[in-house]
Amino acid sequence: MGKTGYFSHKDCWKHEMGPGHPECPGRLDAIEDRLLVTGVTDALTQYIAPKAALADIELAHSRLHIAAMRGLTDWLREEVEAGGPPYTQVDPDTSMNMHTWDAALRSAGAALAATDAVMAGELENAFCAVRPPGHHAMRDKAMGFCFFNNVAVAAKYALQRYNLKRVAVVDFDVHHGNGTEDILAGDERALMVSFFQHPFYPYCGDQNPAPNMVNVPVAAYTRGMDVREIIEMMWIPRLEAFKPELIFISAGFDAHRDDDMGQLGLTEQDYTWITQRIKDVARRYCDGRIVSCLEGGYVMSALARSVEAHVRVLADL
Ligand SMILES: [Zn+2]
């Protein structure tokens, strides 16, 4: 089997936020179908994601937030059993169903288990095909389709469990990873590099970021070639100076030019290039150790092609 792991769990399909919601279970079907039909699946080692321990979720989230999510789940279950509606709204575009709690624990658990496998040398790198995504989830708050911050939980876990000194987070989703910033800003053991469309949801990230945040806001309609130049000039020197011992990727694919959630112009060739540059840094400084977690990406065909491009580079295909 390959040295690239693929982590997911069927619970990640059961969470859904209502008819027509873009962050839907079909996203995972599109990804799995594409990887299967192109033969990429054959090169990956499959893992069933465990549930994250609450003690590990607490490394990045307040007990109050965790209790609120659990409380909403218990309340919703009673409501549904009494014939009530199947969803409860946590922000204008984010809602929970009875399976959200389990799916969120599996998503974070995938990132944690992938971290363990990569740190043990069992895998060189891993891709977590999970939902709900995580990078908007703040220490105290669910928002923007996210409940627990999968990457931030795993980054804090890696620092603690393996006594690492330097963990990098790379975020190439079209939206600013405000939750990851909220959790990691000021923690000098972490370096976060990102670009994001601005001004755009969640309408922050451009003002006085902490010294360990390399936020690059870009205007709508920016092309992939310009994003590559930004990465070369703004990300790579900071990553090389930081010398990460492990790299996490918040892998959102909604900056694709076919994805109408955002207005950036990336293509799957750009995701190939970006992944290769991250992998170059990982091979140079940390034996190639990368844990990549799915974030956004809402047009099925573009999402599937982009994930294929990303995973092909991870798996050296
Ligand atoms: Zn996004």
Side-chain angles (χ1 to χ4, degrees), residues 135-136 173-175 252 254 261 295-298:
H135 76 152
H136 295 307
D173 191 278
V174 77
H175 302 98
D254 42 9
M261 185 70 84
E295 301 282 1
Y298 302 100

Side-chain angles (χ1 to χ4, degrees), residues 4 8 12 26 56 84 86 101 120 186 213 223 252-253 275-276 279 282:
T4 295
S8 194
C12 294
D56 293 332
W101 169 259
M213 295 287 139
R223 294 280 167 180
F253 298 93
T275 310
Q276 190 60 58
K279 195 169 170 178

Side-chain angles (χ1 to χ4, degrees), residues 251-309:
F253 298 93
D254 42 9
H256 195 287
R257 70 176 173 201
D258 294 348
D259 198 312
D260 47 15
M261 185 70 84
Q263 286 78 41
L264 296 189
L266 274 65
T267 62
E268 39 284 32
Q269 288 75 28
D270 295 311
Y271 291 114
T272 296
W273 185 90
I274 294 170
T275 310
Q276 190 60 58
R277 289 303 281 125
I278 300 167
K279 195 169 170 178
D280 293 343
V281 173
R283 286 243 163 111
R284 184 156 174 212
Y285 295 104
C286 52
D287 298 325
R289 289 192 290 267
I290 295 172
V291 174
S292 175
C293 297
L294 182 66
E295 301 282 1
Y298 302 100
V299 168
M300 300 304 149
S301 56
L303 171 65
R305 295 195 307 274
S306 301
V307 170
E308 181 202 346

Side-chain angles (χ1 to χ4, degrees), residues 4-15 23-33 35 41 44-52 102-115 117 123 125-133 150 291-295 307 311:
T4 295
Y6 182 89
F7 290 72
S8 194
H9 192 282
K10 59 179 170 34
D11 285 350
C12 294
W13 272 256
K14 293 181 183 167
H15 157 67
E23 205 290 279
C24 61
R27 299 174 63 231
L28 296 181
D29 288 323
I31 290 168
E32 296 216 332
D33 284 356
L35 295 180
T41 302
L44 307 175
T45 305
Q46 305 278 333
Y47 289 78
I48 296 169
K51 282 187 189 174
D102 284 346
L105 290 183
R106 295 288 181 187
S107 294
L112 292 167
T115 298
L123 298 172
N125 55 42
F127 180 71
C128 301
V130 292
R131 50 182 299 282
N150 308 318
V291 174
S292 175
C293 297
L294 182 66
E295 301 282 1
V307 170
V311 174

Side-chain angles (χ1 to χ4, degrees), residues 137-158:
M138 301 174 74
R139 185 165 190 82
D140 289 314
K141 188 176 153 188
M143 62 179 278
F145 315 164
C146 302
F147 301 87
F148 297 138
N149 195 314
N150 308 318
V151 161
V153 167
K156 289 282 192 184
Y157 170 82

Side-chain angles (χ1 to χ4, degrees), residues 56-69:
D56 293 332
I57 301 283
E58 279 179 17
L59 295 170
H61 292 284
S62 65
R63 285 188 180 173
L64 195 65
H65 171 60
I66 299 167
M69 294 295 102

